[in-house]
Amino acid sequence: MQVTSEAVSGVARRLNVSVPTSRVNEQFEARLKRTAKTVKINGFRPGKVPVNVVRREYGAGIYQEVVNDIIRDTVFEAIQQEKINAVGMPNIEKVENKDDALVYEATVEVYPEVTVNALDGLEIERKSTSVNDKDVDTMLENLQKQRQTWAETKGMAKKDMQVTFDFEGTVDGEKFEGGAAEDFKLVLGSGRMIPGFEDGIIGMKKGEEKVIDVTFPEDYQAENLAGKAAQFKINVKLVEKPKLPEIDAEFLQIFGITEEEGVEKLKADVRKNMEREVKNGLRNQVKSAAFDALVAANEVELPSAMVAQEIDRQRQQMIQQFTQQFGAQGAKAFDSSMLPDDLFKEQAEKSVKLGVLVSKILADAKLEVDAARVDAYIEDMATSYEDPAEVIEYFKNDEKQRAQIEAVVLEDQVVDYILAAAKVSDTEVSYQDLLKEQQARQQG
């Protein structure tokens, strides 16, 4: 077999492959003989069909099968022979039968070869924060709010109060589907309703009726209502204000704290958890900042096959998350057309580009995973579990789980390598701002 190759782009190679006719004929004749032993043709006993008859009746089809199989096998032989780092499946073109050879062309995408621009040109913001007493008190209040109850009030409805009411909506004097409900409960300020609806209820009291005017957003999901002015008749039945639970023995018990240990133990535990969140949040922030700067500073030509694989991975991940949230029945209603490639393309390209650049840094810097950092990462993570020793044992001995942690630690090592060379500016932020940024990053 003869092979030549040429570059057709930075991420594609064209192979010209020539397979001797003798190899094709040898396999063709062998397959004819095997077929003769199994084929059924009228006038001949099973296994006694002459090869010439099989050649006449089935030769053309068998020959094409042999050609297809030879191309399938030899194209990967050719890729190995030319030491091509291929990604995706090769595309076969221009198949010809010549007197002495079967000749074809194959185009295959290759892993991009990149040069990472000097890291000292990167500008990276590294944020820091600390948890103070006020942050802990706010978190305690949030824990109370999660378990709050409601107490009736005769006063006016205000933001953060819960209102129970009946409503009936009309557009141009006509009722519309989904525009009415009885005993509907709404926490004012939650943003559940269209703009202006909740504002119209603020100030109302139990037993009060009122008609409020609102306008549906232009991008409202029901096209027949989008942008339309509407009137809602509101009948308030109950106004309730939030009632936070006392931080007493019963409340402390929820968190496994005895009355003797008291609220100070709860605060200490809360602070410890918050500090762990801060540590992870800061690590994620600087990692995102470093990787974003790296991607922005380097151009990489991406193979379409790698992008397509990443798009499919992200699509499957979203379907899996949907299944976990809504169950198997909900997943069945998920049509692939609801998740087109364009939905993932931008993020997929960024992810593939980052992966290529990080791999290049790992190779150039000869970075290898630090086993001590892996152990420290596992031990730190285990402190949030009831039995840390059991968790440590599991992650250290499960190859798959340990490999995932090693990948995370190796990424952290790449970040440290980038930061050591880049221009880094340190910024102090509040715990609350860090939390908001982290939530926005997760949603984005």
Side-chain angles (χ1 to χ4, degrees), residues 50-62:
V51 172
N52 286 340
V53 175
V54 175
R55 189 190 310 275
R56 184 182 68 239
E57 295 292 330
Y58 301 105
I62 292 174

Side-chain angles (χ1 to χ4, degrees), residues 340-363:
D341 288 359
D342 288 346
L343 184 65
F344 306 96
K345 187 176 180 181
E346 182 178 352
Q347 185 58 39
E349 289 177 342
K350 180 180 178 181
S351 179
V352 172
K353 183 178 179 180
L354 176 61
V356 171
L357 293 169
V358 168
S359 295
K360 181 62 174 174
I361 291 175
L362 286 170

Side-chain angles (χ1 to χ4, degrees), residues 44-317:
F44 298 96
R45 287 183 296 165
K48 299 298 183 180
V49 180
V51 172
N52 286 340
V53 175
V54 175
R55 189 190 310 275
R56 184 182 68 239
E57 295 292 330
Y58 301 105
I62 292 174
Y63 185 82
Q64 190 58 52
E65 289 177 2
V66 169
V67 168
N68 291 342
D69 289 349
I70 285 178
I71 291 174
R72 180 198 63 202
D73 296 337
T74 58
V75 72
F76 291 107
E77 291 176 21
I79 289 171
Q80 289 182 333
Q81 181 176 315
E82 293 297 298
K83 297 179 180 179
I84 292 174
N85 190 5
V87 294
M89 295 298 292
N91 183 37
I92 308 300
E93 303 165 334
K94 297 183 180 179
V95 179
E96 295 183 71
N97 277 301
K98 296 189 175 180
D99 292 339
D100 59 348
L102 168 69
V103 179
Y104 66 89
E105 289 182 2
T107 302
V108 60
E109 289 190 305
V110 298
Y111 194 87
E113 296 181 4
V114 298
T115 300
V116 179
N117 293 330
L119 299 177
D120 58 8
L122 302 183
E123 296 183 359
I124 299 168
E125 182 184 27
R126 177 172 54 197
K127 296 182 179 179
S128 61
T129 191
S130 58
V131 178
N132 57 41
D133 291 344
K134 184 178 179 181
D135 295 325
V136 174
D137 290 340
T138 299
M139 184 60 70
L140 280 179
E141 187 176 340
N142 289 337
L143 293 176
Q144 289 176 278
K145 286 180 178 179
Q146 291 171 9
R147 293 159 180 83
Q148 72 183 12
T149 55
W150 299 98
E152 181 177 356
T153 177
K154 298 186 182 301
M156 296 186 298
K158 299 177 182 178
K159 185 180 177 183
D160 297 327
M161 289 186 177
Q162 180 170 266
V163 182
T164 303
F165 59 98
D166 299 340
F167 68 87
E168 183 178 86
T170 58
V171 171
D172 297 330
E174 299 291 332
K175 297 178 184 179
F176 55 89
E177 184 178 356
E182 293 182 353
D183 296 327
F184 188 83
K185 292 183 181 295
L186 177 67
V187 177
L188 299 179
S190 62
R192 288 176 55 195
M193 311 301 282
I194 61 175
F197 191 99
E198 295 180 26
D199 291 339
I201 298 176
I202 289 177
M204 295 183 70
K205 296 182 179 180
K206 177 181 178 180
E208 186 177 348
E209 289 189 3
K210 179 181 177 181
V211 175
I212 61 175
D213 294 308
V214 296
T215 301
F216 284 96
E218 293 291 342
D219 59 351
Y220 193 67
Q221 62 267 27
E223 294 183 4
N224 62 313
L225 298 175
K228 296 287 185 67
Q231 293 75 43
F232 283 90
K233 181 180 178 182
I234 307 294
N235 177 16
V236 174
K237 293 183 171 181
L238 182 65
V239 178
E240 297 171 294
K241 60 182 179 181
K243 182 181 179 182
L244 298 181
E246 296 291 334
I247 302 181
D248 53 16
E250 184 179 352
F251 187 84
L252 293 172
Q253 190 177 13
I254 297 173
F255 302 95
I257 297 173
T258 65
E259 188 174 6
E260 291 74 20
E261 291 172 317
V263 68
E264 292 306 316
K265 177 65 165 61
L266 177 59
K267 286 185 176 182
D269 288 353
V270 167
R271 183 184 289 273
K272 185 177 180 180
N273 288 332
M274 292 172 70
E275 288 173 345
R276 185 184 298 110
E277 287 181 0
V278 163
K279 182 179 178 181
N280 292 333
L282 292 174
R283 189 181 78 246
N284 291 333
Q285 178 274 321
V286 76
K287 178 184 289 188
S288 294
F291 284 167
D292 286 348
L294 180 67
V295 168
N298 291 274
E299 290 298 324
V300 179
E301 188 176 1
L302 301 177
S304 59
M306 291 180 70
V307 175
Q309 289 168 7
E310 178 61 17
I311 286 174
D312 188 58
R313 187 195 69 80
Q314 291 186 14
R315 180 187 288 112
Q316 293 305 316
Q317 185 180 51

